[in-house]
Each structure stands twice: as C-alpha cells, then as structure tokens.
Amino acid sequence: MLDLFGNKVTEPTAGVSERPPINDMELIEKVLQAAADTGYALVGPAERVFRLIAAKTIEAAPVAEAHAVHQLLDAKWLTKGGTHIYTCDGHSGPGNSVLVPRASREKARMWRALMARPTTDNQRRKAS
C-alpha cells in the first residue's frame, strides 16, 4: 500500500487491541450506565473518549473509563453513532457519539436487578 507521496506504508490491523481486557464488572456497569444517561463521544483519528457534561460539551474521560468504552465498542456492546460538533475547553470540532443498543441496556438492567437480590438465606438474615 502506498501513501499520497508514493511511500510504502503498512496496512493497519483492524480489531487488534493493545489494551489489556478489563474484568472490573463495576466499571463496565458504570460505563454502560453513563453511556445511556449522559453519553460519550469519540474524537479524532485515535478516537479519544470524552464524556458529555452538557449538550455538545465534553470533557476527557478517565483512562480506565476510556479503555472500558473501547472494550465495549470492540465487543459490540456499544456502537459508534453519527458525527456531531462538540466543544471542549473552548475548542470545537467533530466527534462521533457513542450509542447503547437496546440489547445492551436490557442486559445491564438485568445485571442490576440480579445484584440487588441476596444470594443466600444467611445474607438475608444478617440484613434484618
């Protein structure tokens, strides 16, 4: 493959992730909830993750949260939406919204309902 100037470039490998997998279920649930409630945006060619704080106003997401968003995007639990103009620290530019499919919302709701239920009679007695 050649670039515009005739130089050889290697083709990017799609789907290869350099991020370690996240097994923190609380973080995954928090990200799914935030994506459904306020939302995230992907900005730039590196698709940096930003969190919406107001209509079309964003701030950088913490690193762990950003990795979780990318992991959920790779697993198709979140999807990339349309392009919008966002503002961050007085600068405006294009970015893609992050959408939560209905199946992901339903699965997250099921997890929250299961977490609220006690698992044994012993736990129920201690709570009362």
Side-chain angles (χ1 to χ4, degrees):
M1 180 192 234
L2 301 176
D3 66 5
L4 290 174
F5 304 105
N7 301 321
K8 275 195 151 211
V9 290
T10 59
E11 196 165 326
T13 55
V16 175
S17 175
E18 296 176 9
R19 298 175 297 273
I22 296 170
N23 293 321
D24 183 357
M25 199 59 196
E26 288 180 23
L27 176 60
I28 296 296
E29 289 178 25
K30 175 185 165 191
V31 167
L32 283 171
Q33 189 67 43
D37 291 345
T38 55
Y40 289 103
L42 303 173
V43 178
E47 294 187 334
R48 286 193 53 206
V49 178
F50 287 80
R51 193 179 337 171
L52 266 75
I53 54 175
K56 307 294 181 196
T57 304
I58 55 176
E59 67 181 6
V63 175
E65 206 170 305
H67 287 318
V69 168
H70 280 290
Q71 180 173 319
L72 290 168
L73 282 165
D74 292 343
K76 307 286 189 238
W77 281 74
L78 297 174
T79 58
K80 192 165 147 180
T83 303
H84 306 278
I85 302 298
Y86 295 104
T87 303
C88 181
D89 296 329
H91 301 286
S92 294
N96 292 87
S97 59
V98 175
L99 307 175
V100 184
R102 180 178 293 170
S104 299
R105 281 191 204 142
E106 290 173 1
K107 186 65 89 172
R109 190 174 352 182
M110 184 184 74
W111 286 337
R112 282 192 298 275
L114 288 174
M115 285 184 59
R117 298 179 63 195
T119 56
T120 65
D121 289 336
N122 237 358
Q123 287 179 344
R124 205 174 305 140
R125 282 190 208 121
K126 286 180 183 179
S128 28

